[in-house]
Amino acid sequence: MFIKKLVCTGLMGILLLGSIGMVQAEDTAQETEAGELRLIPGQKIEAAPVAEEETVTVSSTWDGPVLTKGKGVNYGPSGKETYYNLPMEGVVRIMRAQGFSEEEYPYWEREDGVKMLGDYVMVAANLSVHPRGSLVESSLGIALVCDTGGFAASNPNQLDIAVNW
């Protein structure tokens, strides 16, 4: 699916990238006169495919506390956050199979140790709440759900952020 431009400001829920014909979000979008899509709380939208390259612009407005190695646990914009440091080759392979290309979504580590896929913080989440490939706001930036873990059964809203700490 291709969206001309998606502008997200403020707290964003779930945005599924790459699904055909449907974008789901707790805050969904409305097309503006400029052809942009702006989020509107509490609705779902359908997005028709267009024959243009996808451009997604997402900004975080979180100005609260952030997850650190010393803190270990943080309560960010989407709830409880923890961190994990495991090899990401298998997770990246799964994301590549889901259509997240090396060209558009290179794997890299930020200077602060946060593991990234393209412009997004890599996180593990409960896949029933945040499906693989969805975007969710974290204290360390907009995150892409790439993985899950045992924590998801007891705390379905928790995010586990991939880092090298």
Side-chain angles (χ1 to χ4, degrees):
M1 175 184 61
F2 298 99
I3 298 174
K4 292 178 185 175
K5 185 173 183 182
L6 177 66
V7 177
C8 290
T9 56
L11 180 61
M12 184 179 73
I14 302 168
L15 171 65
L16 297 179
L17 297 178
S19 59
I20 300 205
M22 176 63 83
V23 174
Q24 294 180 343
E26 290 175 9
D27 294 340
T28 59
Q30 175 182 44
E31 190 165 354
T32 67
E33 289 181 21
E36 299 174 343
L37 296 177
R38 295 208 181 267
L39 292 186
I40 299 173
Q43 299 177 359
K44 289 186 179 181
I45 62 164
E46 289 190 26
V50 296
E52 296 178 16
E53 186 173 326
E54 178 177 9
T55 301
V56 178
T57 303
V58 182
S59 62
S60 175
T61 60
W62 178 252
D63 62 357
V66 298
L67 181 66
T68 64
K69 181 179 181 178
K71 192 183 291 185
V73 174
N74 186 59
Y75 290 88
S78 297
K80 184 177 181 180
E81 300 175 342
T82 55
Y83 68 87
Y84 71 113
N85 182 8
L86 293 173
M88 300 306 286
E89 292 84 10
V91 173
V92 171
R93 193 173 322 116
I94 290 169
M95 295 306 289
R96 298 284 180 250
Q98 297 279 319
F100 292 85
S101 71
E102 170 67 28
E103 182 179 283
E104 293 183 72
Y105 299 91
Y107 170 76
W108 60 287
E109 294 180 9
R110 282 191 333 206
E111 289 182 19
D112 62 357
V114 175
K115 296 180 180 183
M116 305 287 290
L117 202 62
D119 295 332
Y120 303 105
V121 173
M122 295 178 74
V123 297
N126 183 313
L127 299 179
S128 296
V129 177
H130 301 292
R132 192 179 316 272
S134 61
L135 297 178
V136 63
E137 193 170 18
S138 79
S139 67
L140 295 171
I142 301 299
L144 178 64
V145 177
C146 300
D147 200 4
T148 191
F151 68 89
S154 60
N155 194 339
N157 295 312
Q158 179 177 336
L159 298 178
D160 206 9
I161 298 175
V163 297
N164 67 9
W165 309 329

